[in-house]
Amino acid sequence: MEKIGFIGLGIMGKPMAKNLLAAGKSLIVYDVVPQAVEELTAAGAEKGLSPKDVAEKSGLVITMLPNSPHVREVVCGKNGILEGVKNGQLIVDMSSIAPLVSRELGALLAEKGAEMLDAPVSGGQEKAEKGTLAIMVGGTEASYDKVKDILAVMGKSTLVGELGAGQTTKLVNQSIVAVNIAVVAEGMAFAKKAGVDPEKVFNAIRGGLAGSQCMEDKAPRMFEGRYNPGFRINLHIKDLNNVLETSHSLHVSMPLTSQLMEMFQNLAADGHETLDHGALGLFYEKLNGLSLKK
């Protein structure tokens, strides 16, 4: 694993790759956006010509892509990873995709003698930049042991089960986060309508059972009207699509998650899809005819 391949240099992948470079790792990178590749090569990475080229020239390949179709194309498409993968090679997909797709791609890679780990992350751009992401890993313990020190450069990782378990864990995380942010906004809107300063309510309850990381991160944004991402609404919609697709296939009822999807869709319809998901505060402002800003 003397050289690490990194495919996908977007809002999350770029800082993650930069952290690996800063830690002294040798990287070969690829992205469909040339400017992103140029930025990483200027920082010391080697330029990959295609996913196939990256796979041929590296021991470990990390992918960080928007959704299931993008990962499938990078793995299975023309000049994809499957065309360059080697026996015994490890592929770590850190994208957030459907668990069934992870298992499907893992089976295809296994036919070539390679092994896949799914390792989606939580924490957004800020924690990607700081190298403090939560990383949820699915796969064999032996393969996880080979890469956990590399993952440690990007955040704190936990092996949660077999291939696909990482993606399932991420989907659980995204449902809980969405509902948590929404109820923070709902509670603060209630306080404002009742004539009580929401910021004082926040300070009074943050240390009790209602306190949460979501409240700590998102309530101040609501009070300031500060909704720069962060984690964009359109990405949370993508994740909830994967939650609901998977839950429907398993006949699991998720009424709260379904409601949050409708709330996010409402925000997207109003042109807010690129704002931080904390902009659920705007949904409640519109619903109740008020402002949460100080």
Side-chain angles (χ1 to χ4, degrees):
M1 294 190 188
E2 62 279 357
K3 183 168 288 186
I4 300 169
F6 204 108
I7 300 173
L9 303 171
I11 191 170
M12 296 291 288
K14 186 190 296 183
M16 292 163 68
K18 285 184 174 180
N19 284 337
L20 289 170
L21 283 173
K25 307 299 181 185
S26 177
L27 253 60
I28 177 169
V29 300
Y30 177 79
D31 194 278
V32 294
V33 178
Q35 296 91 330
V37 176
E38 290 167 9
E39 188 174 336
L40 265 294
T41 54
E46 179 183 345
K47 177 182 178 180
L49 303 178
S50 66
K52 175 186 176 182
D53 184 51
V54 170
E56 288 175 338
K57 295 177 179 176
S58 57
L60 165 70
V61 179
I62 296 172
T63 54
M64 187 61 178
L65 299 158
N67 205 355
S68 301
H70 307 91
V71 180
R72 186 182 277 114
E73 177 64 23
V74 160
V75 174
C76 305
K78 185 178 180 181
N79 291 317
I81 289 172
L82 276 174
E83 295 183 15
V85 75
K86 302 178 285 291
N87 184 59
Q89 196 166 19
L90 262 174
I91 313 298
V92 180
D93 179 36
M94 302 188 76
S95 319
S96 293
I97 67 174
L100 294 178
V101 175
S102 290
R103 295 187 185 112
E104 170 199 333
L105 298 178
L108 292 172
L109 288 163
E111 291 175 3
K112 298 274 190 171
E115 187 165 357
M116 179 175 171
L117 298 175
D118 63 312
V121 305
S122 179
Q125 181 181 0
E126 182 179 352
K127 291 192 176 183
E129 292 169 350
K130 292 180 178 178
T132 57
L133 292 164
I135 307 171
M136 300 145 267
V137 187
T140 67
E141 188 169 359
S143 292
Y144 172 64
D145 286 343
K146 292 176 184 177
V147 299
K148 62 183 180 183
D149 289 343
I150 293 168
L151 296 178
V153 175
M154 297 175 280
K156 177 177 173 53
S157 67
T158 304
L159 182 66
V160 293
E162 62 185 17
L163 182 64
Q167 297 296 347
T168 300
T169 304
K170 175 61 185 290
L171 295 185
V172 171
N173 180 84
Q174 294 305 83
S175 291
I176 292 172
V177 166
V179 174
N180 202 333
I181 297 172
V183 78
V184 168
E186 187 168 293
M188 296 307 160
F190 169 62
K192 186 70 175 278
K193 203 76 171 182
V196 181
D197 183 347
E199 188 169 20
K200 290 182 178 178
V201 172
F202 164 64
N203 287 323
I205 69 174
R206 64 195 296 192
L209 194 57
S212 69
Q213 190 63 51
C214 280
M215 182 185 286
E216 291 295 318
D217 288 350
K218 305 307 178 184
R221 284 176 171 267
M222 296 172 192
F223 304 147
E224 297 168 14
R226 178 171 52 88
Y227 295 124
N228 57 301
F231 188 76
R232 297 195 305 268
I233 285 169
N234 56 6
L235 293 177
H236 214 138
I237 287 174
K238 178 265 293 187
D239 287 341
L240 294 190
N241 268 323
N242 284 331
V243 173
L244 295 172
E245 177 186 332
T246 305
S247 67
H248 292 163
S249 71
L250 297 171
H251 305 300
V252 176
S253 179
M254 301 187 72
L256 290 177
T257 300
S258 299
Q259 184 62 41
L260 261 297
M261 173 62 94
E262 295 304 313
M263 293 161 68
F264 279 132
Q265 293 289 359
N266 183 281
L267 286 164
D270 282 345
H272 300 317
E273 66 271 19
T274 60
L275 296 185
D276 184 78
H277 52 179
L280 280 163
L282 295 178
F283 176 86
Y284 279 95
E285 289 184 347
K286 179 182 175 182
L287 191 67
N288 294 290
L290 54 80
S291 173
L292 292 172
K293 290 176 69 174
K294 289 186 287 189

